[in-house]
Structures are given as C-alpha cells and as structure tokens.
Amino acid sequence: MKCSVYIATSVDGFIARKNGSVDWLDAAQDPNIDMGDHADMGFADFMASVDCLIMGRKCMEMISSMNLTPEQWPYGDTRIIVLSNTIKQAPENIREHVEMYSGDIQELVTKLESEGHQHAYIDGGTTIQAFINCQLIDEISITYAPVLLGEGIPLFGRLLKDIKLEQAQSTAFANNFIQVKYSVNYQS
C-alpha cells in the first residue's frame, strides 16, 4: 500500500504553534488573490487519489476543535483511522467519521492492505515521523505557507537515519504558497 504525506508548514518547517494552533495558516493567505483553478492547492485531487487516512490523536483533536459542519468536512467519506495509545473514543462531534486504533503501525498497514486499501494519506507530525522511521512513507508533499513562525511544532523530529528525497516537483501558487512533492528513498 502506498503511503503519502500531504501537509502544510511555515517556511521554517513548523506545522503548528507550540500550543497546537494553526491560525497562522489562514492568516498567511491573501483573500484578495484569485487562485483560479488552484483554490485548494491540489487538495481535492490528492484526496481523490487516497482511499484511507491515518492520522494522529493531536491532529484529530485539532480537527474536532474546528467544529466543522457536514459541508465543511474536507475528507468526504474516506475511511479515517486515528492512532492513539491514550484515548479509545473520538470526540462526539467527529465520532461518526473516525475509528480509533492502538497498536503497531506496520500491522495496521498490512491489515488495511489486506482489506483492499491501496493508498493511505498519513497526517500529523508524530504519526508522519513514526511512519518515516518504519520506512512506510512513499511520497511527501509539503505546501510552504509564506510565513516564518520562529518556533512551534516541527514537521520533522528525530529520525533514525538520513532519508533521501528524490524526483522533486514544485508548484508556486498566486498566493505565494509553494508546494514541493518528493519521492522517498530509504536505500541511501
């Protein structure tokens, strides 16, 4: 099963402020810029390519705190698995959308693959790092927001070894966001 990361960071590599807030992401966007066909910067196309989403507990809690309406829910009917060793049940407002999982991530990937899943979206800093350390991420797409935070929660933390990123593709958007997509090579 292919596992892909699709995430936004500040230019200096933070996915959230120290308190978990992602308010800077909306603030970095200029609502007066016409994005044309790129209003979502490729998110809908990416979501159409995946058949499941694996996210961490903190990511789920951030989404829950947004209190999204059914019209605002960005994941459609994609199967969502939330990794947590500390909680067994999702918050009430998103419970119908997610299932909780506690256990080995390699076993989870094997199980999902045996159920016919072919492409997983991996989200959340700690979850992404764990998948990278298990050599399970195949591609990474990072959309850099035109803002420097100086501190916060970094996308990448401690890795077990250097990871080579290859086949870079980039897109610059009218709102000054830049998206870079890489294939991951664990063999180097």
Side-chain angles (χ1 to χ4, degrees), residues 22-70:
V22 293
D23 61 339
W24 54 271
L25 197 51
D26 284 332
Q29 299 194 47
D30 183 343
N32 300 316
I33 293 177
D34 180 8
M35 294 288 289
D37 294 339
H38 303 289
D40 73 348
M41 293 179 273
F43 186 72
D45 288 341
F46 175 75
M47 283 304 299
S49 76
V50 302
D51 53 21
C52 63
L53 165 55
I54 302 167
M55 70 171 61
R57 176 190 52 83
K58 291 177 188 175
C59 188
M60 174 198 65
E61 289 172 346
M62 176 56 63
I63 292 166
S64 174
S65 75
M66 294 177 185
N67 286 310
L68 301 172
T69 65

Side-chain angles (χ1 to χ4, degrees), residues 49-180:
S49 76
V50 302
D51 53 21
C52 63
L53 165 55
I54 302 167
M55 70 171 61
R57 176 190 52 83
K58 291 177 188 175
C59 188
M60 174 198 65
E61 289 172 346
M62 176 56 63
I63 292 166
S64 174
S65 75
M66 294 177 185
N67 286 310
L68 301 172
T69 65
E71 298 77 31
Q72 293 172 315
W73 186 252
Y75 308 114
D77 60 358
T78 302
R79 181 178 182 187
I80 301 173
I81 298 98
V82 177
L83 306 180
S84 178
N85 292 319
T86 58
I87 63 172
K88 302 298 178 206
Q89 197 168 42
E92 181 66 36
N93 67 333
I94 62 169
R95 195 166 294 156
E96 69 183 64
H97 296 290
V98 303
E99 58 191 85
M100 303 302 294
Y101 178 84
S102 177
D104 183 80
I105 59 175
Q106 180 62 61
E107 289 176 15
L108 173 62
V109 169
T110 300
K111 177 182 180 288
L112 291 170
E113 198 168 34
S114 73
E115 294 171 356
H117 292 284
Q118 297 176 17
H119 188 189
Y121 170 11
I122 311 303
D123 200 11
T126 302
T127 301
I128 291 168
Q129 183 176 323
F131 270 71
I132 287 173
N133 282 328
C134 289
Q135 300 187 10
L136 293 170
I137 298 295
D138 298 293
E139 67 181 23
I140 298 174
S141 295
I142 303 170
T143 303
Y144 293 97
V147 62
L148 297 170
L149 297 179
E151 65 179 0
I153 299 169
L155 171 56
F156 300 109
R158 185 178 168 278
L159 298 174
L160 300 178
K161 68 175 197 166
D162 292 351
I163 307 294
K164 187 173 182 181
L165 304 177
E166 303 176 327
Q167 300 173 19
Q169 300 172 17
S170 65
T171 304
F173 296 102
N175 62 355
N176 295 314
F177 282 61
I178 301 203
Q179 188 173 86
V180 183

